[in-house]
């Protein structure tokens, strides 16, 4: 694999491992990728979207490893390679998945305590860390295509059909099967029943999980102090700007940056909810993630910030300015159905 900065090929290696977590029917399946030769700049954990197996992130993980990072992916309990036994017997909900995130982060921190540990969360993978509050020993959260799942805040393509999903399709299939056999029907993915029922409750409440679970969850998010950089995708069919704004507001005490990824930024003129991690985005969008990780590392080490050759600056026009974010927030306040609002803490 080519290292874009040095113009050379950097070999990476994969290794599988298993992590025992409290309350799970079996260990979590982890996969690790890192450069064969040379030093490692930092550790990165990639947390999947709901219903998405860790193998979906293989190409992106290999690319980051070729740029000097030790990257770990994993499957939540009761899902994909971390499923032990029949899906209908899997006992897991979203709070359990949040505990899985903390367990993975803690484990990886112990593996290399001297290295920074960054978390890249796709969709629900960026919601779950805040649930653990100070129990997440990470040095930065990069959120990709994530936000509140409240149905009124969904992007229009999803909002037009989401009530049919939550009032008919999901409860009927889950009730009849004792789980969500989504892969068979081309719907979301295979999920334990506990995840589906809790996810439904959250998505029907204006304040999503915080509204259902109460102040304990609100306080947990507020206790997080690591930097948060959120990629909001312009043509995301699931997460609107409004839903991303809610997510960012939950992490109210984290230094925050929101960056808009626009369709004009990529040759394909299409990104969507899942597109960021597809291999065709390597030349256009993946360097933006690398730039964020490198900036965090420079800030932690107290080094002057420089833009690597071939990498975009964090100050590109697609990054929201304070004025733009205030205008967006003002527009949001005029719309109904909004729970937690975006709040600028910087």
């Amino acid at each position: 694999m080519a290292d874009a900065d040095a113009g050379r090929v950097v070999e990476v290696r994969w290794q599988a491992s298993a992590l025992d977590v409290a309350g799970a029917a079996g260990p979590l399946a982890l996969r690790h990728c890192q450069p064969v030769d040379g030093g490692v700049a930092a550790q990165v954990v990639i947390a999947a979207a709901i219903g998405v197996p860790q193998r979906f992130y293989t190409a992106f993980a290999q690319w980051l490893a070729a740029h000097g990072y030790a990257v770990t992916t994993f499957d939540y309990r009761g899902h994909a390679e971390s499923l032990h036994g029949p899906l209908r017997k899997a006992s897991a909900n979203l709070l359990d998945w949040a505990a899985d995130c903390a367990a993975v982060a803690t484990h990886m921190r112990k593996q290399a305590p001297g290295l920074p540990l960054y978390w890249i969360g796709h969709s629900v993978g960026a919601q779950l860390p805040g649930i653990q509050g100070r129990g997440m020993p990470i040095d930065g959260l990069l959120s990709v295509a994530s936000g509140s799942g409240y149905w009124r805040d969904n992007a229009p393509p999803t909002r037009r059909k989401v009530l049919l999903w939550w009032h008919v399709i999901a409860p009927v299939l889950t009730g009849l099967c004792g789980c969500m056999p989504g892969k068979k029907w081309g719907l979301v993915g295979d999920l334990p029943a506990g995840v589906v029922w809790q996810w439904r409750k959250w998505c029907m409440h204006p304040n999503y999980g915080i509204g259902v679970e109460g102040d304990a969850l609100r306080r947990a998010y507020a206790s997080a102090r690591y930097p948060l950089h959120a990629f909001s995708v312009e043509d995301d069919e699931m997460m609107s700007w409004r839903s991303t704004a809610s997510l960012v507001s939950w992490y109210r005490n984290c230094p925050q940056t929101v960056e808009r990824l626009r369709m004009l930024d990529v040759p394909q003129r299409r990104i969507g909810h899942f597109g960021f991690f597809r291999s065709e985005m390597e030349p256009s969008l993946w360097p933006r993630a690398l730039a964020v990780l490198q900036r965090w590392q420079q800030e932690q080490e107290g080094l002057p910030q420089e833009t690597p050759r071939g990498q975009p600056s964090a100050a590109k026009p697609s990054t929201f300015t304070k004025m733009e974010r205030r205008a967006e927030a003002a527009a949001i306040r005029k719309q109904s159905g909004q729970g937690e609002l975006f709040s600028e803490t910087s």
Side-chain angles (χ1 to χ4, degrees), residues 78-321:
H79 179 250
E81 295 177 40
S82 296
L83 173 63
H84 303 279
L87 180 61
R88 66 180 180 278
K89 293 186 178 180
S91 177
N93 59 30
L94 291 171
L95 297 179
D96 293 325
W97 283 9
D100 292 345
C101 291
V104 171
T106 300
H107 175 70
M108 297 315 300
R109 174 67 82 183
K110 290 179 180 178
Q111 300 306 301
L115 290 178
L117 175 61
Y118 302 126
W119 193 270
I120 299 180
H122 181 203
S123 197
V124 76
Q127 299 171 5
L128 298 175
I131 295 174
Q132 290 298 306
R134 294 183 180 275
M136 283 293 293
I138 59 177
D139 298 300
L141 168 60
L142 175 57
S143 165
V144 180
S146 187
S148 167
Y150 175 49
W151 75 272
R152 288 187 184 273
D153 290 348
N154 289 147
T158 295
R159 193 168 62 242
R160 286 192 288 266
K161 54 191 177 184
V162 73
L163 290 183
L164 176 64
W165 165 256
W166 284 128
H167 288 296
V168 180
I169 299 173
V172 168
L173 281 178
T174 305
L176 288 175
C177 302
C179 61
M180 168 54 68
K183 186 176 180 181
K184 177 181 178 180
W185 299 94
L187 301 168
V188 184
D190 292 342
L191 300 173
V195 169
V196 176
W197 295 127
Q198 189 173 44
W199 188 26
R200 182 183 185 276
K201 287 181 181 179
W202 289 12
C203 288
M204 300 308 293
H205 196 287
N207 285 335
Y208 195 56
I210 288 176
V212 175
E213 308 300 333
D215 283 342
L217 219 60
R218 188 189 304 273
R219 290 193 297 270
Y221 277 102
S223 70
R225 294 294 190 276
Y226 39 77
L228 165 64
H229 192 111
F231 285 152
S232 171
V233 179
E234 181 182 30
D235 63 331
D236 192 330
E237 66 275 18
M238 296 184 185
M239 298 295 181
S240 66
W241 160 256
R242 184 165 57 185
S243 65
T244 299
S246 285
L247 172 70
V248 172
S249 77
W250 305 338
Y251 291 95
R252 61 183 72 253
N253 291 312
C254 291
Q256 301 167 358
T257 303
V258 182
E259 183 175 351
R260 190 73 153 171
L261 302 183
R262 304 186 186 278
M263 292 181 286
L264 291 177
D265 294 339
V266 300
Q268 298 84 357
R269 300 295 187 266
R270 175 80 177 98
I271 305 173
H273 190 65
F274 299 96
F276 179 90
F277 295 98
R278 301 190 187 281
S279 57
E280 56 264 31
M281 299 301 176
E282 175 182 336
S284 54
L285 296 185
W286 291 2
R288 295 183 180 226
L290 182 62
V292 172
L293 301 180
Q294 291 175 334
R295 188 186 78 238
W296 285 342
Q297 189 173 3
Q298 290 166 354
E299 290 172 349
Q300 290 174 336
E301 295 176 354
L303 299 175
Q305 296 183 30
E306 298 179 358
T307 302
R309 289 178 298 174
Q311 308 299 335
S313 167
K316 287 287 186 181
S318 58
T319 303
F320 278 102
T321 65

